[in-house]
Amino acid sequence: MTGSRLSSGGLVDRSRSLSFTFDGKTLSGYEGDTLASALIANDQLLVGRSFKYHRPRGILTAGSAEPNALVTLGRGGRTEPNTRATVAELYQGLEARSQNRWPSLEWDVGSLNSLLSPFLGAGFYYKTFMWPKAFWEKVYEPFIRMAAGLGRLEMEADPDRYEKAWAHCDLLVVGAGPAGLMAALTAGRAGLRVILADEDFRLGGSLLPSMASVDGAKAADFAATTVAELQSLGNVTLMPRTTVFGWYDDMVFGAVEKVQKHVAVPSHDRPVERLWRIHAHHAVLATGAIERPLVFGGNDKPGIMTASATSTYVNRYGVSPGDRVAVFTNGGTGYRTAQDLVSAGIQVTAIVDTRAGADDRVPDGVRVVRSAGVVDTQGRKRLGSIIVERAGFEEEIACDALAMSGGWTPTIHLACQRGAKPVWSEEKQVFLAPDSDPRLTLAGAANGLETLAEALADGAAKAFAVLAKLERTASGTDVPAVEEARSSVHSPVWYVGGARSKAFVDYQNDVHVKDLALAQREAYSSVELSKRYTTSGMATDQGKIANQNATGIIAAMRGISPGEVGLSTYRPFYTPVSLGVIAGTSRDEHGRPVRRSPLHAWAEKNGATFVEAGLWYRSSYFLKPGEKTWREACDREVLNVRANAGLCDVSTLGKIEVKGPDAAEFLNRLYCNAMLKLPVGKARYGLMLREDGMVHDDGTVSRLAEDHFFLTTTTAMAAEVLSHMEYYAQTQWPDLDVTMVSVSDQWAQMAIAGPKSRAILSKIVDADLSEEGFPFLAAREVMLKGGLAARLFRISFSGELAYELAVPAGYGEAVADLVMSAGAEHGICAYGLEALNVLRIEKGHVTHAELNGTVTPDDAGFGKMMAMQKPDFVGKQLSSRFGLTAADRLQLVGLKPVDPKNDIRTGAHLLKEGAKPSMANDQGIVTSNCFSPTLQHPIALALLKSGRERMGETIVVFDRLRGDEFPAVVCSPVFVDPENAKLKGEPARPARPAQKEAAE
Amino acid sequence: MASLISCPHCGTRPKEEFSIKGDATRMRPSPQAPAEVWHKFVFIRDNPKGRHKEFWHHVLGCRRWLVVERDTLTHEVYGVTDAQQALKAGEAVE
């Protein structure tokens, strides 16, 4: 009863011993082993527990289709759950743990589920957890989540690097087995740029375990020679450890290369995995075929594996899964495996063949039971014997391993990922790939061919065909001669009748034949519905093992051909791909880069606390000694701006230069207000609409010359507005001679606001800044004393006498320092986004909190700005629709709480006094709020139904989420200086109710 | 959707560099057009199966708006032209 290392043979390097651990136990293997072959060498055939019934499971395959031997590798941030032991390359120090068992692999409490299995059939969860409804969240879901899943996710961050790259070639060959090697060799010798990719760490595919002779050499040696020649060709790129997982439009293939997954501690100089996008002019898929298990009672015990896997372990890795191995087959593969076992000195107890006769060579002394089937197996954590049924008589045959072969399924995944349906071959009893694109062909076993000689010839032929299409002359590549024992074809047996215990179809999801039968009885008979009802084919192996058998079984149950049943849709990825490699370098700051204003260092020096606004870091407030909260800083900054002056970084605003003879006409059509006659040297507030009449963005437009404009956008909309402008210029008004470019990053821009701002700037700017010399809305290029050309705009967001000064980004910090030192005697302070927001709310100026995509200019109080006399502008035509001019639209208003202790919070709804809170009674919402240090009470801006007619009305502010319900008074949104006296630097006159005016 | 777009200015580039606006055959009606026509232009879009012309913006490239004619079923791209150049040459985008 032992799996063991054979005394000789295999492609492992017996001089290089590697130690590793499995569930904490130290074991050893050789270089060239997979974790699976090393486990077999150490007689560890029990590897995991199954998903649903927690049945003991071993190793079923020797490749990437493995459904059972899933383990967790590594520790800490490098933990990788659900790794297939069959493709995990062994390395010194590898740590592997079994999964889905508690407390241990040997003693697993969850295996009690097996006793409950009569109640756990397909659809069990759907039917059982329907009621009572209240139980779902508290009882069922937590319970199911605890029990579900195989490996556990590690929450620690992955310390490794990943990257992405493009590759280009004339011919991509997927799979380096016999067909792939011949295709690459033929094309490579003819000079094509060839990429040969294979998921294995050793190229050669089925040649590696083959006992055939090719060109007089051992098949594995032929593979090595061919690989060496390919390696010597400069035009051929070999990509081992690379799985091509998807075929996308325009002949782009996705592939993942495991660069350093086979080392304990990867070098930080290289990624651990690389995501490739390969653009190939032609592709040959030489992806081989996957051997199917036979579906019989008890076919999941550790020790039972496919025949080809058995041969691979014996021939390639020099390990034996058992001392006495039985073979169960419906075709020639089983006989070949029996021969491999006998050649390696392993006893074959019997070959059980479902067929009545076959001309395969039977190894000397091996008993063959024909017209027979295995109906059950004995043994708990390891196969002990099989029960063979023949003509009604049963016989128990002792064995500690079973090699089973149900025939071969061509691997056509990639060819069918773009919508083409697989075609059923009645002759071969398999699904083949359809011809869907002349640039992609299949070769060898993937093309339904069965012998090594055919595969080699087909690979060469497919490459010749590509060369002919490219009109390239091929130098002769002779197809090598093959000597191999004859092997009969398989005659499909989808289900071995008479099963006395569960006959598994999908091992990983524990779907057995009776589940499929239930799905048919309950009318989930379409293959897609059967799949989802039973979860057959939905595990991480995505049906590589199960789907063909499931289709055959469903066809038999329904009495139709497997071709009529079909297969469920193939989709990328071929095998699981890590999220890390999909993210590539786009993680942390690379996935979300930090944008810093040119004044960032200035702000830091002045003690800014920053806030993330999109990708930007904006200065939020500047704490002074003794200040503990943002409110203290904000209130001081606001009052100081209103009394003296402040400097605020507004560099994050979008900035766009517009030039050309038609620039004025273009902007006149783009903005809803008039722009054509904006004088040179003047700025104007502008509103851009969408075609549906809603406000798109706002900003200022400055005319620097007849044909030269400079505009600003809001920070968030900078990119969107530029695209919007380019769209209209290029596609809607192609005849306008106008160009535009973003200069957001080129200029540092600072707002200098407050009654002392003129005095401060006069010390720096070499220009007449008097009311006459540089009036409100002046905008022009100025020289700073010292000789730096700058742009100065007299615009105000705070309502104070204010300027915006723009200098080339690199000078930003120096100029801001200069302004601060010039302003020191006038009491200047740095102010941040919080104070900026309070200043604008006090003045009733809107931002995207108000301009939220459902607001028209009139809603925001800008109705009079719309130049309806213009022949056309974006949004004009739909602005006059009934719904956009209705009297009960939400309009911008101000709110003051009746009791100043009540904070009106953004997001609260408005209700008429005494009205029940309901959608129907909703009167509007609060869009912005703050504490006004100027007025010393909370204020808010809101959008209220027919708001402008309701000045003075008492309304209820209602917010059930935060428990607010109190009265407030509707007022003008302009809380401070409604006469706009302060814009000129004059003291404010006593406030009286006034209509909100445009920000200019 | 196509993986690669041959930009007439930048050459063959991955689709991630582009953003898509949609139907390129709907041009802005004249300002005098009736409300019904404007309503259709702004709100109504077909979802055609087969050949379709779309505006694609080469956002991370030359920043030109392109007309990409492609098959919504097979994803084949039939042609890519610069929208403004085509329109100025009088080639109606139909």
Side-chain angles (χ1 to χ4, degrees):
Chain A
M1 288 248 305
T2 50
S4 60
R5 179 76 63 181
L6 297 167
S7 57
S8 65
L11 303 173
V12 291
D13 185 349
R14 289 169 188 260
S15 69
R16 309 197 57 171
S17 178
L18 305 172
S19 79
F20 68 101
T21 64
F22 180 72
D23 280 344
K25 197 161 48 170
T26 302
L27 305 170
S28 77
Y30 292 125
E31 191 165 298
D33 263 327
T34 60
L35 174 59
S37 66
L39 286 172
I40 292 171
N42 288 278
D43 194 31
Q44 181 68 52
L45 269 86
L46 172 62
V47 179
R49 292 274 176 169
S50 73
F51 180 58
K52 188 166 157 186
Y53 302 126
H54 290 248
R55 288 169 71 103
R57 289 282 167 80
I59 296 162
L60 187 75
T61 72
S64 62
E66 177 63 32
N68 283 345
L70 303 184
V71 295
T72 298
L73 295 189
R75 60 159 70 178
R78 293 201 168 96
T79 302
E80 202 164 288
N82 300 341
T83 306
R84 289 150 292 157
T86 50
V87 293
E89 196 173 343
L90 194 69
Y91 55 81
Q92 176 65 32
L94 179 146
E95 289 177 47
R97 274 161 290 147
S98 59
Q99 302 181 158
N100 209 35
R101 79 287 186 273
W102 184 86
S104 77
L105 183 57
E106 296 287 328
W107 303 103
D108 174 36
V109 168
S111 59
L112 290 172
N113 277 7
S114 257
L115 303 177
L116 298 173
S117 67
F119 309 104
L120 291 174
F124 166 72
Y125 292 89
Y126 299 139
K127 292 168 187 166
T128 309
F129 298 117
M130 294 291 289
W131 52 266
K133 204 178 157 196
F135 267 40
W136 177 252
E137 218 171 278
K138 292 255 156 58
V139 182
Y140 295 146
E141 191 182 340
F143 170 76
I144 292 170
R145 284 201 187 282
M146 194 182 76
L150 292 164
R152 298 246 172 251
L153 200 62
E154 174 57 54
M155 298 313 287
E156 210 175 299
D158 185 341
D160 293 328
R161 290 179 46 217
Y162 298 85
E163 70 179 28
K164 296 184 185 182
W166 279 87
H168 303 265
C169 61
D170 298 317
L171 175 66
L172 169 67
V173 180
V174 184
L181 284 176
M182 283 308 290
L185 190 64
T186 306
R189 281 178 178 170
L192 292 193
R193 287 182 308 154
V194 177
I195 291 176
L196 174 62
D198 192 287
E199 59 187 359
D200 206 329
F201 54 90
R202 187 169 188 131
L203 301 181
S206 65
L207 289 167
L208 300 178
S210 170
M211 296 303 275
S213 103
V214 183
D215 256 356
K218 277 180 66 181
D221 294 339
F222 167 78
T225 313
T226 309
V227 168
E229 182 181 343
L230 289 169
Q231 211 144 28
S232 73
L233 296 173
N235 52 318
V236 176
T237 305
L238 299 180
M239 296 180 77
R241 302 186 176 97
T242 303
T243 303
V244 179
F245 58 71
W247 178 34
Y248 301 93
D249 291 332
D250 304 312
M251 290 298 280
V252 172
F253 293 81
V256 65
E257 179 189 5
K258 296 193 183 303
V259 183
Q260 296 191 87
K261 278 292 182 187
H262 53 295
V263 295
V265 181
S267 154
H268 205 66
D269 295 337
R270 291 186 301 151
V272 289
E273 289 184 90
R274 200 178 272 131
L275 187 82
W276 286 97
R277 278 183 287 176
I278 303 170
H279 180 217
H281 291 288
H282 292 270
V284 171
L285 301 186
T287 41
I290 294 171
E291 193 179 15
R292 291 188 297 274
L294 284 162
V295 181
F296 58 90
N299 64 344
D300 68 328
K301 293 220 162 70
I304 301 176
M305 59 175 70
T306 63
S308 61
T310 307
S311 286
T312 300
Y313 288 117
V314 171
N315 295 344
R316 176 174 168 180
Y317 298 105
V319 297
S320 171
D323 295 334
R324 292 169 303 153
V325 184
V327 173
F328 182 23
T329 189
N330 62 356
T333 309
Y335 292 84
R336 186 175 293 162
T337 295
Q339 184 60 57
D340 292 344
L341 289 163
V342 168
S343 301
I346 302 159
Q347 187 195 343
V348 175
T349 54
I351 297 175
V352 181
D353 194 331
T354 57
R355 302 166 300 175
D359 54 2
D360 296 279
R361 196 176 143 246
V362 179
D364 291 342
V366 173
R367 177 185 166 212
V368 180
V369 190
R370 299 188 193 280
S371 299
V374 177
V375 292
D376 204 359
T377 60
Q378 305 288 317
R380 287 197 53 221
K381 290 168 202 162
R382 182 68 197 264
L383 182 68
S385 66
I386 54 175
I387 311 294
V388 175
E389 190 265 355
R390 181 173 184 270
F393 295 96
E394 286 183 4
E395 176 188 359
E396 182 168 356
I397 298 176
C399 57
D400 57 1
L402 175 71
M404 61 178 164
S405 181
W408 293 84
T409 303
T411 304
I412 57 173
H413 295 61
L414 290 172
C416 296
Q417 282 176 349
R418 296 177 62 243
K421 291 275 172 222
V423 180
W424 176 250
S425 164
E426 204 55 55
E427 178 212 336
K428 292 180 186 288
Q429 293 283 298
V430 292
F431 285 100
L432 295 174
D435 288 327
S436 60
D437 190 319
R439 297 167 296 183
L440 181 116
T441 50
L442 289 92
N447 192 28
L449 302 178
E450 280 154 35
T451 69
L452 178 53
E454 286 174 313
L456 290 164
D458 196 34
K462 294 294 154 63
F464 275 121
V466 170
L467 289 166
K469 260 189 240 173
L470 296 172
E471 293 173 354
R472 299 284 280 262
T473 47
S475 52
T477 298
D478 294 330
V479 176
V482 175
E483 282 174 53
E484 190 180 27
R486 236 195 71 72
S487 185
S488 65
V489 298
H490 285 253
S491 73
V493 175
W494 306 115
Y495 171 48
V496 182
R500 297 218 314 243
S501 58
K502 286 194 184 69
F504 285 92
V505 180
D506 186 316
Y507 290 82
Q508 199 176 128
N509 272 355
D510 272 348
V511 179
H512 52 107
V513 172
K514 284 182 176 168
D515 292 326
L516 288 173
L518 184 71
Q520 309 317 303
R521 284 203 305 278
E522 299 194 342
Y524 295 101
S525 52
S526 128
V527 70
E528 298 283 5
L529 292 178
S530 286
K531 168 179 169 172
R532 282 150 186 87
Y533 194 62
T534 63
T535 74
S536 179
M538 284 171 65
T540 60
D541 68 321
Q542 287 287 288
K544 289 184 188 64
I545 292 294
N547 279 3
Q548 180 77 69
N549 278 337
T551 288
I553 291 166
I554 293 170
M557 287 171 177
R558 293 171 57 192
I560 56 178
S561 141
E564 286 173 72
V565 174
L567 288 173
S568 59
T569 308
Y570 287 103
R571 293 189 181 89
F573 304 94
Y574 175 66
T575 50
V577 173
S578 72
L579 288 173
V581 78
I582 291 172
T585 56
S586 295
R587 55 183 281 186
D588 307 323
E589 71 275 26
H590 302 292
R592 197 172 182 284
V594 170
R595 291 187 83 181
R596 291 197 180 90
S597 144
L599 295 182
H600 191 85
W602 166 83
E604 267 181 334
K605 273 190 304 209
N606 285 274
T609 300
F610 292 94
V611 61
E612 286 179 55
L615 299 177
W616 287 105
Y617 274 60
R618 298 186 68 178
S619 32
S620 184
Y621 50 92
F622 296 80
L623 284 177
K624 289 272 188 218
E627 289 173 345
K628 292 200 175 59
T629 66
W630 70 270
R631 262 291 301 283
E632 289 174 75
C634 173
D635 288 3
R636 171 185 48 76
E637 290 166 21
V638 168
L639 292 173
N640 195 64
V641 170
R642 297 247 184 261
N644 300 309
L647 191 163
C648 181
D649 179 11
V650 293
S651 305
T652 61
L653 294 180
K655 306 180 208 73
I656 299 168
E657 300 267 337
V658 183
K659 280 191 171 184
D662 295 325
E665 173 63 25
F666 173 66
L667 295 178
N668 203 45
R669 296 186 195 178
L670 199 68
Y671 285 92
C672 76
N673 47 328
M675 289 293 169
L676 203 53
K677 293 189 181 126
L678 178 65
V680 173
K682 276 289 199 183
R684 180 170 289 171
Y685 178 73
L687 273 181
M688 275 185 209
L689 308 189
R690 307 187 308 223
E691 290 288 11
D692 66 1
M694 301 301 169
V695 177
H696 189 202
D697 198 39
D698 67 345
T700 58
V701 180
S702 302
R703 192 168 201 170
L704 302 174
E706 257 325 293
D707 61 351
H708 183 189
F709 291 79
F710 171 78
L711 36 131
T712 63
T713 73
T714 56
T715 300
M717 292 288 277
E720 165 58 33
V721 166
L722 183 65
S723 289
H724 175 80
M725 291 168 67
E726 287 166 334
Y727 170 76
Y728 279 96
Q730 293 173 30
T731 73
Q732 300 302 324
W733 306 314
D735 294 324
L736 292 186
D737 189 354
V738 59
T739 56
M740 61 221 64
V741 67
S742 163
V743 292
S744 297
D745 291 326
Q746 276 68 30
W747 294 94
Q749 195 150 322
M750 53 205 95
I752 297 134
K756 310 275 179 64
S757 57
R758 177 183 287 139
I760 295 166
L761 279 174
S762 296
K763 293 167 71 176
I764 295 168
V765 178
D766 195 5
D768 172 15
L769 295 188
S770 68
E771 193 58 36
E772 299 70 38
F774 206 86
F776 184 54
L777 296 175
R780 23 177 219 267
E781 187 163 293
V782 293
M783 292 304 280
L784 300 190
K785 289 172 180 166
L788 179 66
R791 288 174 179 176
L792 189 65
F793 310 90
R794 194 163 149 207
I795 48 183
S796 176
F797 199 41
S798 57
E800 299 297 321
L801 169 70
Y803 301 83
E804 285 189 15
L805 177 66
V807 295
Y811 290 95
E813 186 182 347
V815 172
D817 287 344
L818 194 67
V819 174
M820 290 302 281
S821 59
E825 59 170 314
H826 297 288
I828 195 169
C829 73
Y831 70 102
L833 207 53
E834 292 294 347
L836 183 82
N837 197 40
V838 171
L839 288 161
R840 70 99 190 166
I841 295 173
E842 287 183 340
K843 274 299 284 183
H845 287 168
V846 292
T847 66
H848 277 294
E850 286 73 35
L851 306 176
N852 60 14
T854 68
V855 166
T856 68
D858 188 59
D859 298 341
F862 298 126
K864 288 185 190 141
M865 261 175 66
M866 289 176 74
M868 296 306 281
Q869 73 281 6
K870 288 197 286 190
D872 190 15
F873 60 82
V874 175
K876 181 186 176 190
Q877 280 73 19
L878 272 72
S879 285
S880 53
R881 279 179 306 158
F882 169 73
L884 273 72
T885 54
D888 67 343
R889 285 189 65 83
L890 301 180
Q891 294 170 340
L892 184 75
V893 295
L895 292 178
K896 294 177 199 167
V898 171
D899 179 348
K901 286 201 288 294
N902 283 328
D903 210 6
I904 305 173
R905 290 189 277 196
T906 299
H909 283 255
L910 304 176
L911 293 168
K912 282 182 180 163
E913 277 189 297
K916 245 184 76 184
S918 73
M919 291 297 283
N921 286 338
D922 190 20
Q923 296 292 297
I925 51 161
V926 177
T927 54
S928 299
N929 74 291
C930 69
F931 175 83
S932 166
T934 313
L935 303 175
Q936 287 296 313
H937 63 72
I939 57 172
L941 297 178
L943 291 165
L944 174 66
K945 270 190 184 176
S946 316
R948 287 196 293 268
E949 298 168 8
R950 298 170 72 173
M951 295 297 152
E953 181 180 327
T954 300
I955 201 152
V956 173
V957 175
F958 177 81
D959 184 344
R960 180 159 287 168
L961 279 177
R962 291 174 290 194
D964 290 348
E965 191 168 353
F966 53 80
V969 177
V970 180
C971 61
S972 156
V974 187
F975 293 93
V976 169
D977 186 26
E979 307 293 327
N980 287 332
K982 297 199 79 183
L983 277 178
K984 293 181 181 157
E986 296 161 12
R989 278 164 280 181
R992 62 184 167 83
Q995 190 73 14
K996 159 131 180 61
E997 288 171 32
E1000 52 182 76
Chain B
M1 190 173 299
S3 300
L4 303 171
I5 294 294
S6 290
C7 172
H9 308 293
C10 309
T12 302
R13 306 298 308 166
K15 71 157 183 284
E16 290 77 10
E17 293 184 357
F18 299 81
S19 73
I20 308 166
K21 181 121 176 149
D23 197 342
T25 66
R26 302 253 167 182
M27 300 308 282
R28 236 171 146 259
S30 104
Q32 289 78 36
E36 192 52 34
V37 173
W38 273 95
H39 169 80
K40 276 178 87 170
F41 165 67
V42 175
F43 295 110
I44 307 300
R45 291 290 179 279
D46 292 334
N47 184 17
K49 177 177 171 181
R51 270 187 187 244
H52 188 39
K53 282 182 175 179
E54 286 169 329
F55 282 127
W56 286 49
H57 190 200
H58 199 177
V59 176
L60 300 179
C62 56
R63 294 205 64 92
R64 295 295 295 175
W65 282 88
L66 310 172
V67 176
V68 174
E69 184 172 17
R70 66 182 187 101
D71 193 306
T72 59
L73 197 64
T74 66
H75 300 180
E76 187 179 346
V77 174
Y78 299 110
V80 184
T81 51
D82 181 281
Q84 188 172 23
Q85 284 171 10
L87 288 159
K88 284 178 86 164
E91 295 164 27
V93 181
E94 281 301 334

